[in-house]
Amino acid sequence: VVTGASMRRDGSGLLLRTQTEVWFYEVGQSGFEAALGVTPCSLPAPDEPQAEAIAWLLDGSGYRTMSEGKSEPLVGVTCQ
């Protein structure tokens, strides 16, 4: 079950968050639909009690995730 999603600002990539995983879909010239037809890459997924949100950094160099709940930390992952 997908709990969060974020499209890279330049439209080149989509992140999908589930309770336990983060999936990356590269969106190329073929477009969004074609990207979803390809097996995604698995990215680091922080261990969060109720993973609900994900968002790219504005420059696309990484992403942040957050769990639902009171005082949950914002977790950062840097892409290389």
Side-chain angles (χ1 to χ4, degrees):
V1 174
V2 174
T3 59
S6 183
M7 180 65 87
R8 190 180 268 166
R9 190 175 188 181
D10 66 4
S12 67
L14 172 69
L15 294 172
L16 295 182
R17 179 71 164 126
T18 72
Q19 289 290 327
T20 58
E21 299 175 281
V22 172
W23 298 105
F24 170 72
Y25 291 86
E26 186 172 356
V27 180
Q29 298 289 16
S30 299
F32 186 73
E33 273 189 49
L36 292 177
V38 177
T39 301
C41 296
S42 177
L43 296 179
D47 184 23
E48 297 169 318
Q50 197 166 345
E52 294 288 333
I54 192 163
W56 283 104
L57 294 175
L58 288 178
D59 66 2
S61 66
Y63 53 93
R64 301 291 181 258
T65 68
M66 181 179 256
S67 181
E68 183 177 293
K70 280 190 170 184
S71 303
E72 292 296 325
L74 186 61
V75 179
V77 177
T78 302
C79 299
Q80 299 199 12

